Amino acid sequence: MEQQGSGFRFFFYLIGFSAIFLAFIYTSVFSYQQYANLRADLTTASNNNDIQLRAAMAMRAAVRERAILLWQMTLLETPEDRKQLFNTFYSQGSEYHKSRLTLLNTELDHPEQSILAKLDKQAANRTPELRTFSELLTDNRVQNFRLELSKVLKDKTTIAGFLDQFITLQQVQNEDIWQDSAHKMEGLLSELITRMVLIISGGFLFAVYVMVTASKQNKMIRIANQELRHLACHDNLTGLPNRRFLLHQLDIVLAAAKRKQHKVAIIFIDLDDFKPINDTYGHDAGDLCLQDVSNRISKVIRGSDMLGRLGGDEFLLILSEIESSTQAIAVIQKILGIISEDFPIGESTTNLSASIGLYIYSLEDINAEEAITLADKAMYQAKKMGKNQFYII
């Protein structure tokens, strides 16, 4: 009987050991697969959203540049002078359509498709007015374009408004992606802990092993959460804070400045004529230049200052707790100097310059978005003044 009992216990222990071991193996593999799937889904969604955001911003920039060119053409005295700007005008149109095709090749949800449909309809309806205005610009008999320019610029503003809606939608979707991933990660952690508790209750001999394993997996999940947060708040190319994170931090900085009665400098940096680098040397070289620019700027600012990338070739620098605009101007001059230095590309070098807008926050009642908009306007003024310089608004 004892031998039979021993044999039964051995068989029972063997079954228990096997069940606990298999349960542990199944839990580990299942959790890893869930995490891998979640990370893959997040990467795919983030990349798709990033492509859409870059394309929409490129379309927005093309609309802006075309509006500026139309305005500049009305200031010229002869049709011959205006014709010289038409090539640039049509080139910006090509950039617009190229970015639009890029956007259409991504995975678009219903709200995005709706905005693009409205945008295309608006652009198609306004094409005759733009064609008529273009014909007026080449007519020697017409000297005053104020009324026609106002209509065309209004149309451009409407189209830009749709693009702004699309860009805002992308930013909201980025935040939703992160929140959804965090929620799923919390669910995965909850399920993992439940399985571990069941495994621990199955046998004392495996308690220590299960606790060590659970600790390792919890650490892996914490690291994964940190990576997800980093992906959601930082630019993939340069590692700098992205627009969403900059807006959040700038709101905090402005609130602190208002409370402590300090000034804050918001510096909007836009690289001049960056597109030819991508066209000539390829996007990989352009990416290396953007990384080099971010590294150079980081070396001339304080540790308490924040440098971020808004997208494309646009950067934002926040100088907190400054005494006057003189400090900000000194930093801007350093930035202009280091950007103007040669950039190595393979066995050759290339040159860059930047247009910089500066807005000094002096306890005004505005939020981060409005502060960035003011700095952006100042940057546009710097470009109009001839680029490679700065403008204070």
Side-chain angles (χ1 to χ4, degrees):
M1 294 292 293
E2 285 184 9
Q3 290 181 352
Q4 290 179 351
S6 297
F8 176 78
R9 284 194 299 271
F10 175 78
F11 181 77
F12 178 79
Y13 292 154
L14 180 61
I15 294 296
F17 172 85
S18 300
I20 293 172
F21 180 75
L22 291 175
F24 170 74
I25 294 297
Y26 173 78
T27 300
S28 299
V29 173
F30 177 79
S31 299
Y32 179 78
Q33 288 177 341
Q34 291 291 98
Y35 164 72
N37 292 337
L38 178 60
R39 183 180 178 87
D41 292 342
L42 175 63
T43 301
T44 300
S46 297
N47 289 341
N48 184 71
N49 198 271
D50 186 52
I51 292 172
Q52 292 177 344
L53 185 59
R54 288 202 303 265
M57 294 182 71
M59 292 170 66
R60 179 68 171 82
V63 170
R64 177 195 65 195
E65 292 299 325
R66 281 165 67 88
I68 292 174
L69 287 169
L70 287 173
W71 173 73
Q72 289 176 340
M73 282 188 275
T74 61
L75 301 179
L76 299 176
E77 295 182 357
T78 66
E80 289 73 19
D81 294 333
R82 297 171 200 140
K83 288 180 181 178
Q84 296 179 4
L85 293 180
F86 266 107
N87 288 336
T88 305
F89 179 79
Y90 292 130
S91 174
Q92 289 296 328
S94 297
E95 288 302 316
Y96 175 91
H97 290 291
K98 184 188 300 182
S99 300
R100 177 179 172 275
L101 288 176
T102 300
L103 197 59
L104 292 175
N105 287 328
T106 61
E107 295 183 8
L108 298 168
D109 57 24
H110 180 70
E112 294 167 343
Q113 292 175 353
S114 178
I115 293 176
L116 286 180
K118 293 177 182 178
L119 175 64
D120 290 343
K121 182 178 180 181
Q122 181 71 22
N125 290 339
R126 304 306 180 185
T127 298
E129 290 186 6
L130 179 60
R131 186 180 296 111
T132 301
F133 184 61
S134 300
E135 292 173 354
L136 289 176
L137 290 173
T138 59
D139 193 337
N140 282 312
R141 297 171 297 175
V142 181
Q143 297 298 325
N144 190 345
F145 304 95
R146 181 176 300 175
L147 180 59
E148 291 78 6
L149 177 63
S150 176
K151 291 180 180 179
V152 174
L153 291 183
K154 184 178 180 181
D155 296 338
K156 294 295 182 184
T157 302
T158 302
I159 293 174
F162 283 118
L163 289 170
D164 288 338
Q165 290 180 27
F166 192 91
I167 291 171
T168 300
L169 179 61
Q170 299 308 303
Q171 294 167 348
V172 172
Q173 287 179 345
N174 265 333
E175 185 173 354
D176 291 343
I177 290 170
W178 177 84
Q179 291 179 348
D180 182 63
S181 298
H183 178 72
K184 290 180 179 178
M185 188 62 72
E186 290 175 0
L188 177 61
L189 176 60
S190 177
E191 182 179 356
L192 176 63
I193 292 175
T194 301
R195 290 177 181 273
M196 285 301 172
V197 170
L198 292 175
I199 292 173
I200 291 172
S201 65
F204 176 77
L205 294 176
F206 284 90
V208 174
Y209 180 77
V210 172
M211 290 173 61
V212 170
T213 304
S215 175
K216 290 180 178 180
Q217 292 186 342
N218 286 338
K219 182 180 179 180
M220 179 186 72
I221 292 173
R222 286 196 299 271
I223 293 174
N225 272 326
Q226 293 174 357
E227 292 176 353
L228 291 175
R229 289 178 182 273
H230 190 273
L231 286 172
C233 298
H234 290 77
D235 173 56
N236 291 333
L237 177 63
T238 62
L240 296 175
N242 59 19
R243 182 182 183 88
R244 172 179 170 271
F245 188 70
L246 284 171
L247 284 170
H248 175 71
Q249 292 300 113
L250 183 54
D251 275 327
I252 296 175
V253 170
L254 296 181
K258 193 168 187 178
R259 185 173 61 254
K260 297 179 181 179
Q261 303 292 301
H262 285 143
K263 295 181 179 180
V264 177
I266 296 92
I267 301 173
F268 197 108
I269 306 168
D270 184 269
L271 300 180
D272 297 325
D273 303 321
F274 182 74
K275 182 180 176 298
I277 292 181
N278 285 330
D279 295 341
T280 304
Y281 302 101
H283 287 280
D284 289 342
D287 289 346
L288 290 175
C289 282
L290 291 175
Q291 291 172 340
D292 199 353
V293 168
S294 65
N295 291 334
R296 292 186 185 189
I297 297 177
S298 298
K299 292 179 181 179
V300 299
I301 61 177
R302 303 173 300 179
S304 59
D305 301 329
M306 177 174 289
L307 173 67
R309 183 186 178 202
L310 296 174
D313 57 353
E314 295 179 340
F315 296 82
L316 188 76
L317 176 60
I318 303 171
L319 307 182
S320 57
E321 298 187 9
I322 63 172
E323 299 297 330
S324 67
S325 60
T326 304
Q327 292 176 258
I329 292 174
V331 173
I332 290 174
Q333 290 174 338
K334 290 181 181 179
I335 293 173
L336 289 174
I338 59 174
I339 291 179
S340 65
E341 297 175 3
D342 289 343
F343 284 81
I345 298 180
E347 298 180 357
S348 62
T349 60
T350 187
N351 294 321
L352 281 177
S353 65
S355 296
I356 300 178
L358 170 62
Y359 164 64
I360 302 295
Y361 172 78
S362 301
L363 311 182
E364 297 90 346
D365 189 19
I366 62 173
N367 58 29
E369 190 76 54
E370 293 168 337
I372 292 176
T373 299
L374 289 172
D376 189 20
K377 290 181 179 179
M379 182 275 295
Y380 288 150
Q381 291 298 322
K383 281 193 178 293
K384 291 179 182 179
M385 292 164 55
K387 304 179 181 179
N388 195 30
Q389 54 188 303
F390 67 93
Y391 183 89
I392 306 175
I393 195 168

